[in-house]
């Protein structure tokens, strides 16, 4: 099965002839699409709600890149699917990083994420999850899978992986199992990732220089971000830390009768009528 999978990828690469571009750091061998669900509450009413968003992971020979599916489709496929965009912003106000690069630079994870009013870039060691492998099995999205448990960022994660796809990739920052991670749940039952699709396609994995991004160590950034978003003031005013004297350009968009999107200096923030209680993926 592994040989068949790799043979298919090699054949498509030769046929399509995709190569690296100026800012590319690798070429994808296949792309994995995940559905991400986060249980939270509406800030305005306290109503329980589950936010959902679709994610894409480009898996290369050296580097992987994760981003929200709309941006993947837009930048890689050159599609502009407004239905996906509306669904993305309308149903996932619990924020996901702009991009996560695995093994870039070598042995490191690089995350790009915006916190109003600035974009940030965080680099951290890659192989920090010590997975405890289990013989428990399940079939997920037609793939035979095995179970593993590991701790990362202050949360305990249970994942199922399949060795029928010869990759250590996974959603978000989860990786390092002896097979592709197809499902992941945190022990508190808040966060859930599940494989939606896998396609063999070869496109450049791009890492453009971003001199405007503020470089910050991981521990400092998590403390900074969670301190802002987990504050009780956040659900009352999701940009409460800004002052009247700040030079901020605000853009507001209304996707539906109930869903607003706002940008502050190009950085996304939920509208005050649509804010959710923040559920951090990383507690520390």
């Amino acid at each position: 099965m592994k040989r068949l999978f790799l043979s298919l990828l090699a054949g498509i690469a030769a046929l399509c002839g995709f190569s690296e571009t100026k800012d590319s750091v690798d070429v994808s061998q296949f792309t994995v699409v995940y559905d991400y669900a986060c249980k939270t509450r509406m800030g305005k009413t306290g109503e329980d709600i589950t936010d959902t968003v679709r994610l894409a992971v480009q898996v290369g020979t050296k580097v992987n890149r994760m981003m929200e599916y709309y941006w993947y489709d837009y930048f890689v496929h050159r599609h502009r699917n407004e239905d996906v965009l509306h669904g993305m912003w309308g149903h996932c106000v619990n924020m996901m990083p702009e991009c996560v690069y695995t093994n870039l630079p070598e042995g490191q994870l690089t995350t790009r994420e915006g916190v109003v009013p600035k974009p940030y870039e965080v680099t951290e060691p890659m192989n920090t999850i010590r997975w405890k492998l289990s013989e428990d099995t399940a079939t997920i999205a037609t793939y035979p899978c095995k179970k593993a448990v590991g701790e990362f960022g202050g949360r305990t994660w249970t994942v199922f992986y399949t060795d029928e796809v010869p990759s250590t990739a996974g959603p978000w920052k989860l990786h390092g199992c002896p097979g592709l991670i197809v499902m992941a749940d945190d022990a508190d039952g808040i966060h859930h990732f599940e494989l939606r699709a896998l396609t063999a396609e070869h496109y450049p994995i791009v890492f453009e220089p971003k001199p405007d991004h503020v470089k910050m160590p991981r521990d400092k950034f998590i403390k900074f971000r969670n301190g802002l978003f987990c504050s009780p003031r956040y659900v009352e005013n999701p940009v409460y830390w800004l002052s009247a004297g700040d030079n901020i350009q605000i853009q507001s968009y209304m996707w539906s009768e109930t869903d607003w999107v706002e940008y502050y200096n190009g950085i996304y923030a939920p509208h005050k009528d649509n804010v959710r209680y923040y559920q951090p993926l990383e507690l520390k």
Side-chain angles (χ1 to χ4, degrees), residues 158-200:
T158 297
V159 305
F160 282 89
Y161 65 92
T162 178
D163 59 11
E164 288 201 353
V165 181
S167 172
T168 60
W172 180 54
K173 296 181 180 182
L174 303 176
H175 68 281
C177 286
L180 178 73
I181 295 175
V182 299
M183 182 181 289
D185 291 280
D186 77 297
D188 293 325
I190 296 173
H191 304 282
H192 174 79
F193 297 93
E194 186 168 349
L195 183 144
R196 180 186 183 92
L198 188 153
T199 56

Side-chain angles (χ1 to χ4, degrees), residues 1 15 37 46 136 186 195:
M1 189 69 177
L15 177 64
D136 292 351
D186 77 297
L195 183 144

